[in-house]
Amino acid sequence: MTTTHSLGQAARQILIQNDKGCYTIPTKGLYPYQWNWDSAIAALGFAEFDITRAWIELETLFSGQWSDGMVPHILFHQPDPGYFPGPDVWGCDGPIPSSGIIQPPIAASMARRVWEKDTGAGATHLTALYPKMLAWHRWIMQWRLDRGAVCTTHPWETGRDNAPDWDKTMARMDASDVGEYTRRDTTHVNSDDRPTNFDYDRYIKLVQLGRNLHWDQAALREQSPFRVADPTMTFTTLGAARDLLAMGTELGFDTTGLTEDIKTLEAGAATLWNTDLGAFDSRDVLSGEWAGCVSSASYLCWLGGIDSDQMMDRLRNTLETVPYPVPSNDPDSDTFDARRYWRGPTWAVVNMLIGLGLEQQGHHAEATELARKTGALISEHGFAEYFDPLSGSPAGGKSFTWTAAVWLAWAGRT
Ligand code: DGY
């Protein structure tokens, strides 16, 4: 029998194996660079046994920050031909070769949690990081709002690459001129568990567009066919704004504007409520159309500090009826696919973000239940990238950094 203790050892071992010295790769082969939100989660995992290393993770992430405040979704520290698209395709010129898009801005919320665990030099680390985190927040507020909700400009930004949320928007896009390229992801893992070629053509097409426009946000806002206000970006930005306000106040920083930002984002979150669906949903800014999707991101409302009785009813039902909750797509939806990446599988990392939000809002029973079920999933099926929500079987990359971090910081503690 695998004990909680030995699982804890195994989780630490995964973080140590994936540690490249000052940043952590999500998993060997499939993801050989530093990914933005993966890294923030890795920091939380490291904080359980090596607090200095936790800070280094976040500091390395912000060493890739662009002069305008943007923090890229991938930092290409060392060339690796096993991944596509690499730095040459993105054509960016930040301080470290990088992609030109962001990811859910959870770094500030994770930094606050690392700080809470640090009885030593935490305030010094956080004081140096704070202005950088605030600058990224301001960049998002400047470039990504629609009626107060935060927009994604590429499916990869949300982390939920092939979620059905983007289907209608992607279907409208023409990628016939994308040209020849070779996918690398499907050489590492089963192609049935990954996004389709139809989606991939559009991912690359959007990268080409950004590159051609030199990642100029004003031009992209005018010209990109992909602009979707979404629960992932909105709730994580809102949670980060609240955490920035709390940390800034405690550290004595000027927090002017953050209270106003929180109000703006709260109003934006309200624009994501799809009354017909009875859930927080994604909304295509260009067409005005709802995606019509209850995704695991819909349940991030609590992380954003927004309570909802209807979302709570759904969550309780999901916890009771889905063998391994929370599925990334509603099992009753026509688009549900138990294995294909963000079209059904359960992701331990999203569960933790939902759970941390529930805890913050005082929903202790549900937070504990979700942590317990996530812990059981990991202990039965390992530290996989994601899991079939019906059978629990593991999928995608193995020995995954954030699943190990989730065990250490949250699921393994129940
Ligand atoms: C990929 O390459 O699959 C990633 O999800 C992009 O961030």
Side-chain angles (χ1 to χ4, degrees), residues 299-319:
Y299 299 96
L300 292 175
C301 51
W302 297 288
L303 186 77
I306 307 255
D307 221 338
S308 159
D309 291 346
Q310 274 172 280
M311 288 310 302
M312 183 52 86
D313 287 346
R314 273 186 187 279
L315 180 69
R316 291 194 183 120
N317 182 52
T318 298
L319 287 170

Side-chain angles (χ1 to χ4, degrees), residues 3-235:
T3 63
T4 301
H5 177 73
S6 62
L7 278 165
Q9 294 284 81
R12 282 179 186 211
Q13 210 41 48
I14 289 173
L15 259 63
I16 291 165
Q17 269 163 14
N18 290 340
D19 180 2
K20 294 285 167 196
C22 58
Y23 67 94
T24 313
I25 57 169
T27 190
K28 209 160 165 270
L30 184 62
Y31 297 124
Y33 300 111
Q34 184 176 22
W35 260 260
N36 188 324
W37 73 325
D38 294 70
S39 225
I41 300 289
L44 199 65
F46 276 118
E48 294 296 322
F49 64 100
D50 186 346
I51 199 81
T52 307
R53 182 63 188 77
W55 288 116
I56 291 172
E57 187 75 27
L58 293 167
E59 286 156 3
T60 308
L61 177 63
F62 280 86
S63 72
Q65 184 166 39
W66 291 10
S67 56
D68 64 357
M70 190 272 227
V71 182
H73 107 290
I74 307 177
L75 296 179
F76 300 107
H77 292 283
Q78 283 169 15
D80 191 314
Y83 182 80
F84 177 87
D88 48 322
V89 184
W90 290 92
C92 297
D93 45 33
I96 294 174
S98 75
S99 67
I101 56 173
I102 59 170
Q103 255 184 339
I106 58 170
S109 299
M110 297 304 120
R112 184 178 180 193
R113 289 171 184 277
V114 171
W115 183 35
E116 281 164 0
K117 288 178 192 288
D118 192 348
T119 48
T124 311
H125 287 285
L126 194 65
T127 302
L129 268 177
Y130 189 85
K132 301 177 188 181
M133 299 192 299
L134 189 61
W136 187 23
H137 168 75
R138 293 208 163 120
W139 183 92
I140 294 170
M141 296 302 289
Q142 178 177 6
W143 293 116
R144 294 303 178 79
L145 293 196
D146 178 79
R147 294 163 58 202
V150 182
C151 301
T152 174
T153 63
H154 192 297
W156 285 343
E157 285 201 308
T158 58
R160 303 188 295 122
D161 301 12
N162 65 340
D165 298 53
W166 333 123
D167 283 3
K168 292 179 195 161
T169 316
M170 297 283 265
R172 274 192 290 270
M173 275 181 65
D174 175 17
S176 54
D177 58 350
V178 72
E180 290 290 313
Y181 66 91
T182 306
R183 286 180 68 165
R184 300 276 181 222
D185 58 324
T186 44
T187 64
H188 299 290
V189 291
N190 185 352
S191 60
D192 289 344
D193 301 350
R194 294 286 302 174
T196 59
N197 287 336
F198 178 90
D199 282 337
Y200 239 83
D201 282 354
R202 282 150 186 79
Y203 301 154
I204 302 306
K205 180 75 200 180
L206 288 170
V207 174
Q208 292 169 345
L209 176 70
R211 185 202 168 110
N212 292 343
L213 294 176
H214 309 288
W215 302 103
D216 173 338
Q217 294 303 312
L220 276 166
R221 189 168 51 196
E222 287 298 306
Q223 296 181 43
S224 177
F226 192 94
R227 198 167 180 90
V228 182
D230 122 281
T232 332
M233 302 312 265
T234 303
F235 293 135

